[in-house]
Amino acid sequence: MIAALLARGLPGLLLMVDPWAKNVDWSGGAAFELRGGSAPPVPGEVSEPALRLSISPVARFIYQDRVRGRELSIEYTPQVYMRFSQRYCALVDCRAPLQLHQLRVRYGGDLNRRWSWSGTAGGNLTQSDYSQQSAQLGSDQTPDAGAVGSSGQQGTLLDQPVIWTGGVSASVGLTRRLTRLQSLTVQPSATVQRLLSDVSTSSGAALVFDQTSADLSLAHAWVVSRIDTLTSTGLSGYAAFANGAQAYASATTAWRRRLRPRLDSELTGGAFFTVQLTGQSDGGTPVLPLGDYLLTGRLLERARLRLVGDVNVGTQAYFDPVQGSVLPLGGGGASIEFEIPPDLTAGLSASFYTPPLPATPADETEAANAASARITLTIRTPVTYQLDRHRMLEAGTMLTARGPHLGTTAPNGRFPQTEFWLYVAFRLDYTTARSPG
């Protein structure tokens, strides 16, 4: 009888504990978002009524090898979007949707009991419309840069309004477990961004869009106690943009502390160093102090209400690819979410960043440019409703305001660039992975 039971149960038991078992999971989803509001067609112009439609699907593949402790993940996230407004459509004739494609691959695992590693590689293809280049390039600003140059002039215009750019990035991390509570990680990384379209300019000159950066970081993590963790990180690197190249280095130490279950704080301090190698130099070797305080987690938990939030304030160094320089920023943000079980969540988030240093004569000159964006204020009020396990509705508002340095006279107003959107979004996701329990 015992032999019969073993014959029936042993195969199932072996499958449960088979160390060679492999696991494959697929997941994916999409987000459909429609915005309506008021926004400038390009930086520096007056806001006008506008609509914006975006579709963002995502597909993920995860392969796990439990015996070797290794995992391979592949993620592809394309996006298409269209913008409609009177002046925008008058100039660009509302062409086909612009596209963004991103691919990310990660592989990692344990080499032995003390060593582990992970490698990440990614690529992107981005389509940009410069139909209104007289305003976009004349302000010497790109939508993602968040800053403008001091000259305010570009000098040449593109003969082809829609261009493609592409980029690749890669990093490898190697971790050594020094003791049960300490580890050391070294990680080199590199990023390259290039213009892919064959574009000429009105002056016959070639358009320069090259961006290259590489860095090497060394991090030491130490679990000091059950509630305290110290992480020290040193980093050095090189960044080259169209109008300059810089060498940089930073050193930071972060102290993370568990204040209570599901509530953490983190205090970070350090410095950022940069040296101009080519291009226009400010004549010095800036040393920028870095500091940040973060409080995050669950603030309140009741049967019918959960309150989750985070607050951070500090300074940081920001790479401006347009100017090819490093800009210091100071400020912070706060967010709070009211979770009303089982399906409703309402949130509020706000952030404000500004240069922490006194205004210079160059800042005063730049303030006359309506496209100046030295300070940034953002406010969001999302409300989400979970329809079921795979589908969710979201609606809310988004406000973004930009302006010149706080220390300038601001002849165009404190926030000459203002966007306000009402939006509604439908999000869905699916996975083959089994939920815990």
Side-chain angles (χ1 to χ4, degrees):
M1 183 176 178
I2 295 178
L5 290 175
L6 288 175
R8 294 179 182 178
L10 188 58
L13 181 62
L14 289 175
L15 288 175
M16 291 174 61
V17 300
D18 178 13
W20 298 98
K22 309 295 192 299
N23 185 56
V24 174
D25 290 321
W26 295 87
S27 64
F32 306 86
E33 183 181 280
L34 177 64
R35 300 183 190 178
S38 175
V42 293
E45 294 202 358
V46 178
S47 296
E48 64 176 358
L51 289 174
R52 187 181 187 276
L53 173 66
S54 65
I55 302 175
S56 308
V58 59
R60 300 184 189 90
F61 167 82
I62 298 177
Y63 171 80
Q64 294 175 316
D65 185 343
R66 290 185 300 182
V67 66
R68 295 181 176 89
R70 298 176 184 176
E71 180 178 287
L72 169 68
S73 65
I74 303 174
E75 182 178 86
Y76 172 54
T77 54
Q79 184 186 59
V80 295
Y81 66 93
M82 291 192 72
R83 168 110 173 243
F84 306 92
S85 68
Q86 182 177 3
R87 176 164 168 73
Y88 188 84
C89 289
L91 292 179
V92 306
D93 198 23
C94 288
R95 293 180 175 86
L98 298 179
Q99 304 176 42
L100 169 65
H101 300 269
Q102 292 179 307
L103 179 67
R104 186 172 184 268
V105 180
R106 183 187 182 277
Y107 182 77
D110 295 330
L111 299 176
N112 53 45
R113 295 181 60 183
R114 289 193 174 274
W115 291 92
S116 63
W117 78 283
S118 66
T120 301
N124 69 81
L125 289 173
T126 305
Q127 196 177 30
S128 301
D129 192 336
Y130 283 91
S131 298
Q132 301 182 73
Q133 55 195 307
S134 60
Q136 285 179 302
L137 299 183
S139 66
D140 203 18
Q141 180 175 12
T142 61
D144 294 334
V148 297
S150 58
S151 64
Q153 298 294 329
Q154 178 74 11
T156 59
L157 301 179
L158 307 183
D159 294 332
Q160 178 182 332
V162 178
I163 65 172
W164 282 94
T165 59
V168 294
S169 62
S171 66
V172 177
L174 186 64
T175 299
R176 160 77 172 182
R177 300 178 186 87
L178 303 176
T179 67
R180 187 172 61 89
L181 302 177
Q182 298 185 57
S183 64
L184 192 66
T185 300
V186 59
Q187 179 170 306
S189 64
T191 301
V192 176
Q193 194 80 16
R194 294 291 185 266
L195 175 68
L196 302 181
S197 300
D198 185 12
V199 178
S200 60
T201 65
S202 57
S203 66
L207 177 66
V208 179
F209 191 82
D210 293 355
Q211 300 178 13
T212 304
S213 64
D215 60 56
L216 177 67
S217 66
L218 182 66
H220 174 261
W222 178 23
V223 181
V224 181
S225 68
R226 292 187 303 111
I227 61 174
D228 295 297
T229 302
L230 285 177
T231 303
S232 299
T233 304
L235 179 144
S236 63
Y238 168 85
F241 301 99
N243 42 355
Q246 295 194 359
Y248 60 90
S250 68
T252 59
T253 297
W255 171 33
R256 191 173 187 92
R257 184 178 181 85
R258 174 63 54 89
L259 301 178
R260 65 172 190 244
R262 300 183 180 179
L263 182 64
D264 296 335
S265 70
E266 185 173 275
L267 180 64
T268 303
F272 187 95
F273 313 86
T274 180
V275 178
Q276 191 79 26
L277 300 178
T278 63
Q280 185 178 2
S281 174
D282 57 8
T285 304
V287 179
L288 306 177
L290 304 178
D292 187 77
Y293 178 75
L294 171 67
L295 177 68
T296 181
R298 187 163 294 180
L299 306 176
L300 176 68
E301 184 165 10
R302 296 290 185 268
R304 297 186 178 181
L305 176 66
R306 287 193 295 265
L307 190 60
V308 179
D310 65 73
V311 178
N312 76 285
V313 59
T315 60
Q316 59 182 276
Y318 164 68
F319 258 121
D320 179 3
V322 174
Q323 296 191 79
S325 61
V326 179
L327 302 176
L329 287 178
S335 68
I336 190 169
E337 282 190 352
F338 300 88
E339 299 179 357
I340 306 173
D343 305 314
L344 187 64
T345 301
L348 170 64
S349 63
S351 66
F352 178 78
Y353 286 94
T354 181
L357 303 178
T360 64
D363 292 324
E364 192 68 46
T365 301
E366 184 183 294
N369 187 344
S372 177
R374 287 294 186 228
I375 61 175
T376 304
L377 170 68
T378 60
I379 300 175
R380 297 193 61 178
T381 59
V383 177
T384 61
Y385 181 75
Q386 195 77 34
L387 299 174
D388 55 32
R389 181 182 173 186
H390 304 292
R391 297 175 301 166
M392 181 178 69
L393 280 176
E394 181 177 334
T397 63
M398 292 183 287
L399 171 69
T400 302
R402 300 180 178 90
H405 195 293
L406 282 177
T408 62
T409 55
N412 298 300
R414 182 51 60 197
F415 293 106
Q417 299 183 76
T418 302
E419 297 183 20
F420 179 76
W421 299 98
L422 296 169
Y423 75 94
V424 60
F426 174 68
R427 311 182 193 279
L428 57 91
D429 66 86
Y430 175 80
T431 179
T432 59
R434 295 182 178 180
S435 300

